[in-house]
CSV table of all heavy atoms in Angstrom, one decimal:
chain,number,residue,atom,x,y,z
A,1,ASP,N,126.9,58.4,258.9
A,1,ASP,CA,128.2,59.0,259.1
A,1,ASP,C,128.9,59.2,257.8
A,1,ASP,O,128.8,58.4,256.8
A,1,ASP,CB,129.0,58.0,260.0
A,1,ASP,CG,130.4,58.5,260.2
A,1,ASP,OD1,130.6,59.5,261.0
A,1,ASP,OD2,131.3,57.9,259.6
A,2,ASP,N,129.6,60.4,257.7
A,2,ASP,CA,130.3,60.7,256.4
A,2,ASP,C,131.2,59.6,255.9
A,2,ASP,O,131.3,59.3,254.7
A,2,ASP,CB,131.1,62.0,256.5
A,2,ASP,CG,130.1,63.2,256.5
A,2,ASP,OD1,128.9,63.1,256.3
A,2,ASP,OD2,130.6,64.4,256.6
A,3,GLU,N,132.0,59.1,256.9
A,3,GLU,CA,133.0,58.0,256.5
A,3,GLU,C,132.3,56.8,255.9
A,3,GLU,O,132.7,56.3,254.9
A,3,GLU,CB,133.8,57.6,257.7
A,3,GLU,CG,134.9,56.7,257.4
A,3,GLU,CD,135.8,56.4,258.6
A,3,GLU,OE1,135.6,57.1,259.6
A,3,GLU,OE2,136.5,55.4,258.6
A,4,ALA,N,131.2,56.4,256.5
A,4,ALA,CA,130.4,55.3,256.0
A,4,ALA,C,129.8,55.6,254.6
A,4,ALA,O,129.8,54.8,253.7
A,4,ALA,CB,129.4,54.8,256.9
A,5,LEU,N,129.3,56.8,254.5
A,5,LEU,CA,128.7,57.2,253.2
A,5,LEU,C,129.8,57.2,252.1
A,5,LEU,O,129.5,56.7,251.0
A,5,LEU,CB,128.1,58.6,253.3
A,5,LEU,CG,126.6,58.7,253.7
A,5,LEU,CD1,126.2,60.1,253.9
A,5,LEU,CD2,125.8,58.1,252.5
A,6,LEU,N,130.9,57.8,252.4
A,6,LEU,CA,132.0,57.9,251.4
A,6,LEU,C,132.4,56.5,250.9
A,6,LEU,O,132.7,56.3,249.8
A,6,LEU,CB,133.2,58.7,252.0
A,6,LEU,CG,132.9,60.2,252.1
A,6,LEU,CD1,134.0,60.8,252.9
A,6,LEU,CD2,132.9,60.8,250.7
A,7,ALA,N,132.5,55.5,251.9
A,7,ALA,CA,132.8,54.2,251.5
A,7,ALA,C,131.8,53.6,250.6
A,7,ALA,O,132.2,52.9,249.6
A,7,ALA,CB,132.9,53.3,252.8
A,8,ARG,N,130.5,53.8,250.8
A,8,ARG,CA,129.5,53.3,250.0
A,8,ARG,C,129.5,54.0,248.6
A,8,ARG,O,129.3,53.3,247.6
A,8,ARG,CB,128.1,53.5,250.6
A,8,ARG,CG,127.0,52.9,249.8
A,8,ARG,CD,127.1,51.3,249.8
A,8,ARG,NE,127.0,50.7,251.1
A,8,ARG,CZ,125.9,50.3,251.6
A,8,ARG,NH1,124.7,50.5,251.0
A,8,ARG,NH2,125.9,49.8,252.8
A,9,PHE,N,129.8,55.3,248.5
A,9,PHE,CA,129.9,56.0,247.2
A,9,PHE,C,131.1,55.4,246.4
A,9,PHE,O,131.0,55.3,245.2
A,9,PHE,CB,130.0,57.5,247.5
A,9,PHE,CG,128.7,58.2,247.6
A,9,PHE,CD1,128.2,58.5,248.9
A,9,PHE,CD2,127.9,58.5,246.5
A,9,PHE,CE1,127.0,59.2,249.1
A,9,PHE,CE2,126.7,59.2,246.7
A,9,PHE,CZ,126.3,59.5,247.9
A,10,THR,N,132.2,55.2,247.2
A,10,THR,CA,133.3,54.6,246.5
A,10,THR,C,133.0,53.2,245.9
A,10,THR,O,133.4,52.9,244.8
A,10,THR,CB,134.5,54.5,247.5
A,10,THR,OG1,134.8,55.8,248.0
A,10,THR,CG2,135.8,54.0,246.8
A,11,GLU,N,132.3,52.4,246.7
A,11,GLU,CA,132.0,51.1,246.2
A,11,GLU,C,131.1,51.1,245.0
A,11,GLU,O,131.3,50.3,244.1
A,11,GLU,CB,131.2,50.4,247.4
A,11,GLU,CG,130.8,48.9,247.1
A,11,GLU,CD,130.0,48.4,248.2
A,11,GLU,OE1,130.0,48.9,249.3
A,11,GLU,OE2,129.2,47.4,247.9
A,12,ARG,N,130.2,52.1,244.9
A,12,ARG,CA,129.3,52.2,243.8
A,12,ARG,C,129.8,53.1,242.7
A,12,ARG,O,129.2,53.3,241.7
A,12,ARG,CB,127.9,52.7,244.3
A,12,ARG,CG,127.1,51.8,245.2
A,12,ARG,CD,126.6,50.6,244.4
A,12,ARG,NE,125.7,49.8,245.2
A,12,ARG,CZ,126.0,48.8,246.0
A,12,ARG,NH1,127.2,48.5,246.2
A,12,ARG,NH2,125.0,48.2,246.7
A,13,LYS,N,131.0,53.6,242.9
A,13,LYS,CA,131.6,54.5,241.9
A,13,LYS,C,130.7,55.7,241.6
A,13,LYS,O,130.5,56.0,240.4
A,13,LYS,CB,132.0,53.7,240.7
A,13,LYS,CG,133.1,52.7,240.9
A,13,LYS,CD,133.5,52.0,239.6
A,13,LYS,CE,134.7,51.1,239.8
A,13,LYS,NZ,134.6,50.1,240.9
A,14,LEU,N,130.2,56.4,242.6
A,14,LEU,CA,129.4,57.5,242.5
A,14,LEU,C,130.0,58.7,243.2
A,14,LEU,O,130.6,58.6,244.2
A,14,LEU,CB,128.0,57.3,243.1
A,14,LEU,CG,127.1,56.2,242.4
A,14,LEU,CD1,125.8,56.0,243.3
A,14,LEU,CD2,126.7,56.7,241.1
A,15,PRO,N,129.8,59.9,242.6
A,15,PRO,CA,130.3,61.1,243.2
A,15,PRO,C,129.4,61.5,244.4
A,15,PRO,O,128.2,61.5,244.4
A,15,PRO,CB,130.2,62.2,242.1
A,15,PRO,CG,129.1,61.7,241.2
A,15,PRO,CD,129.2,60.2,241.3
A,16,SER,N,130.1,61.8,245.5
A,16,SER,CA,129.3,62.2,246.8
A,16,SER,C,129.0,63.7,246.8
A,16,SER,O,128.1,64.1,247.5
A,16,SER,CB,130.1,61.9,248.0
A,16,SER,OG,131.4,62.5,248.0
A,17,SER,N,129.7,64.5,246.0
A,17,SER,CA,129.5,65.9,246.0
A,17,SER,C,128.1,66.3,245.5
A,17,SER,O,127.5,67.3,246.0
A,17,SER,CB,130.6,66.7,245.3
A,17,SER,OG,130.7,66.2,243.9
A,18,LEU,N,127.6,65.6,244.5
A,18,LEU,CA,126.3,66.0,243.9
A,18,LEU,C,125.2,65.7,245.0
A,18,LEU,O,124.3,66.5,245.1
A,18,LEU,CB,126.0,65.2,242.6
A,18,LEU,CG,126.9,65.5,241.5
A,18,LEU,CD1,126.6,64.6,240.3
A,18,LEU,CD2,126.8,67.0,241.1
A,19,TYR,N,125.4,64.6,245.7
A,19,TYR,CA,124.4,64.3,246.8
A,19,TYR,C,124.5,65.3,247.9
A,19,TYR,O,123.5,65.8,248.4
A,19,TYR,CB,124.7,62.9,247.3
A,19,TYR,CG,124.2,62.6,248.7
A,19,TYR,CD1,122.8,62.4,248.9
A,19,TYR,CD2,125.0,62.6,249.8
A,19,TYR,CE1,122.3,62.1,250.2
A,19,TYR,CE2,124.5,62.3,251.1
A,19,TYR,CZ,123.2,62.1,251.3
A,19,TYR,OH,122.7,61.8,252.5
A,20,ALA,N,125.7,65.7,248.2
A,20,ALA,CA,125.9,66.7,249.3
A,20,ALA,C,125.3,68.0,248.9
A,20,ALA,O,124.7,68.7,249.7
A,20,ALA,CB,127.4,66.9,249.5
A,21,ARG,N,125.5,68.5,247.6
A,21,ARG,CA,125.0,69.8,247.2
A,21,ARG,C,123.4,69.8,247.2
A,21,ARG,O,122.8,70.8,247.4
A,21,ARG,CB,125.5,70.1,245.8
A,21,ARG,CG,127.0,70.4,245.7
A,21,ARG,CD,127.3,71.7,246.3
A,21,ARG,NE,128.8,72.0,246.2
A,21,ARG,CZ,129.4,73.0,246.7
A,21,ARG,NH1,128.7,73.9,247.5
A,21,ARG,NH2,130.7,73.2,246.5
A,22,SER,N,122.8,68.6,247.0
A,22,SER,CA,121.4,68.5,247.0
A,22,SER,C,120.8,68.7,248.4
A,22,SER,O,119.7,69.0,248.6
A,22,SER,CB,120.9,67.2,246.4
A,22,SER,OG,121.2,66.1,247.2
A,23,ILE,N,121.6,68.4,249.4
A,23,ILE,CA,121.2,68.6,250.8
A,23,ILE,C,121.5,70.0,251.2
A,23,ILE,O,120.6,70.6,251.9
A,23,ILE,CB,122.0,67.6,251.7
A,23,ILE,CG1,121.7,66.2,251.4
A,23,ILE,CG2,121.7,67.9,253.2
A,23,ILE,CD1,122.6,65.2,252.1
A,24,ASP,N,122.6,70.5,250.9
A,24,ASP,CA,123.0,71.9,251.3
A,24,ASP,C,123.7,72.6,250.1
A,24,ASP,O,124.9,72.3,249.9
A,24,ASP,CB,123.9,71.9,252.5
A,24,ASP,CG,124.3,73.3,253.0
A,24,ASP,OD1,123.8,74.3,252.4
A,24,ASP,OD2,125.0,73.4,254.0
A,25,PRO,N,123.0,73.4,249.3
A,25,PRO,CA,123.7,74.0,248.2
A,25,PRO,C,124.9,74.8,248.5
A,25,PRO,O,125.8,75.0,247.7
A,25,PRO,CB,122.6,74.9,247.6
A,25,PRO,CG,121.3,74.2,248.0
A,25,PRO,CD,121.6,73.7,249.4
A,26,THR,N,125.0,75.4,249.8
A,26,THR,CA,126.1,76.2,250.2
A,26,THR,C,127.3,75.3,250.5
A,26,THR,O,128.5,75.8,250.4
A,26,THR,CB,125.8,77.0,251.5
A,26,THR,OG1,125.6,76.1,252.6
A,26,THR,CG2,124.5,77.8,251.3
A,27,GLY,N,127.1,74.0,250.8
A,27,GLY,CA,128.2,73.1,251.1
A,27,GLY,C,128.7,73.2,252.5
A,27,GLY,O,129.6,72.4,252.9
A,28,GLU,N,128.2,74.1,253.3
A,28,GLU,CA,128.8,74.4,254.6
A,28,GLU,C,128.7,73.2,255.6
A,28,GLU,O,129.6,72.8,256.3
A,28,GLU,CB,128.2,75.6,255.3
A,28,GLU,CG,128.6,76.9,254.5
A,28,GLU,CD,127.9,78.1,255.2
A,28,GLU,OE1,127.3,77.9,256.3
A,28,GLU,OE2,128.1,79.2,254.7
A,29,THR,N,127.5,72.5,255.6
A,29,THR,CA,127.2,71.4,256.5
A,29,THR,C,127.6,70.1,255.9
A,29,THR,O,127.5,69.1,256.6
A,29,THR,CB,125.7,71.4,256.9
A,29,THR,OG1,125.0,71.2,255.7
A,29,THR,CG2,125.3,72.7,257.5
A,30,VAL,N,128.1,70.0,254.7
A,30,VAL,CA,128.4,68.8,254.0
A,30,VAL,C,129.8,68.8,253.4
A,30,VAL,O,130.1,68.2,252.4
A,30,VAL,CB,127.4,68.4,252.9
A,30,VAL,CG1,126.1,68.0,253.6
A,30,VAL,CG2,127.1,69.5,252.0
A,31,LEU,N,130.6,69.7,254.0
A,31,LEU,CA,132.0,69.9,253.4
A,31,LEU,C,132.8,68.7,253.3
A,31,LEU,O,133.5,68.5,252.3
A,31,LEU,CB,132.7,71.0,254.3
A,31,LEU,CG,134.0,71.6,253.6
A,31,LEU,CD1,133.6,72.3,252.3
A,31,LEU,CD2,134.6,72.6,254.6
A,32,GLY,N,132.7,67.8,254.3
A,32,GLY,CA,133.4,66.5,254.3
A,32,GLY,C,133.1,65.7,253.1
A,32,GLY,O,134.0,65.0,252.5
A,33,LEU,N,131.8,65.6,252.7
A,33,LEU,CA,131.4,64.8,251.5
A,33,LEU,C,131.8,65.4,250.2
A,33,LEU,O,132.1,64.7,249.2
A,33,LEU,CB,129.9,64.7,251.5
A,33,LEU,CG,129.3,63.9,252.7
A,33,LEU,CD1,127.7,63.9,252.6
A,33,LEU,CD2,129.7,62.4,252.6
A,34,ILE,N,132.0,66.8,250.2
A,34,ILE,CA,132.4,67.4,249.0
A,34,ILE,C,133.9,67.3,248.8
A,34,ILE,O,134.4,66.9,247.7
A,34,ILE,CB,132.0,68.9,249.1
A,34,ILE,CG1,130.5,69.1,249.0
A,34,ILE,CG2,132.7,69.7,247.9
A,34,ILE,CD1,130.0,70.5,249.3
A,35,GLU,N,134.7,67.6,249.9
A,35,GLU,CA,136.2,67.5,249.8
A,35,GLU,C,136.7,66.1,249.6
A,35,GLU,O,137.7,65.9,248.9
A,35,GLU,CB,136.8,68.2,251.0
A,35,GLU,CG,136.5,69.7,251.1
A,35,GLU,CD,137.2,70.3,252.3
A,35,GLU,OE1,137.6,69.5,253.2
A,35,GLU,OE2,137.3,71.5,252.4
A,36,ALA,N,136.0,65.1,250.2
A,36,ALA,CA,136.5,63.7,250.1
A,36,ALA,C,135.8,62.9,249.0
A,36,ALA,O,135.8,61.7,249.0
A,36,ALA,CB,136.4,63.0,251.4
A,37,ASP,N,135.2,63.6,248.0
A,37,ASP,CA,134.4,63.0,246.9
A,37,ASP,C,135.3,61.9,246.2
A,37,ASP,O,136.4,62.3,245.7
A,37,ASP,CB,134.0,64.0,245.9
A,37,ASP,CG,133.1,63.4,244.9
A,37,ASP,OD1,133.0,62.2,244.7
A,37,ASP,OD2,132.3,64.2,244.2
A,38,PRO,N,135.0,60.6,246.3
A,38,PRO,CA,135.8,59.6,245.7
A,38,PRO,C,136.0,59.7,244.2
A,38,PRO,O,136.9,59.2,243.6
A,38,PRO,CB,135.1,58.3,246.1
A,38,PRO,CG,133.7,58.7,246.3
A,38,PRO,CD,133.7,60.1,246.9
A,39,MET,N,135.0,60.4,243.5
A,39,MET,CA,135.1,60.6,242.1
A,39,MET,C,135.6,62.0,241.7
A,39,MET,O,135.5,62.4,240.5
A,39,MET,CB,133.7,60.3,241.5
A,39,MET,CG,133.1,59.0,241.7
A,39,MET,SD,134.0,57.7,240.9
A,39,MET,CE,134.8,56.8,242.2
């Protein structure tokens, strides 16, 4: 789940947008991970 992923990225101080773009370069299916990137 995006919410759980974002919490783990925040804990590890890692950007979620780079992970999201590696899944979908267009960003359409991972928009939540891009817009809520903790970093």
Side-chain angles (χ1 to χ4, degrees):
D1 176 74
D2 282 359
E3 186 177 345
L5 265 173
L6 288 168
R8 185 63 64 89
F9 276 100
T10 302
E11 180 187 340
R12 292 292 192 270
K13 294 182 172 54
L14 290 174
S16 60
S17 56
L18 294 177
Y19 161 73
R21 293 288 184 185
S22 72
I23 296 173
D24 181 2
T26 68
E28 293 180 3
T29 61
V30 287
L31 194 59
L33 293 175
I34 294 173
E35 292 183 342
D37 187 341
M39 300 292 108

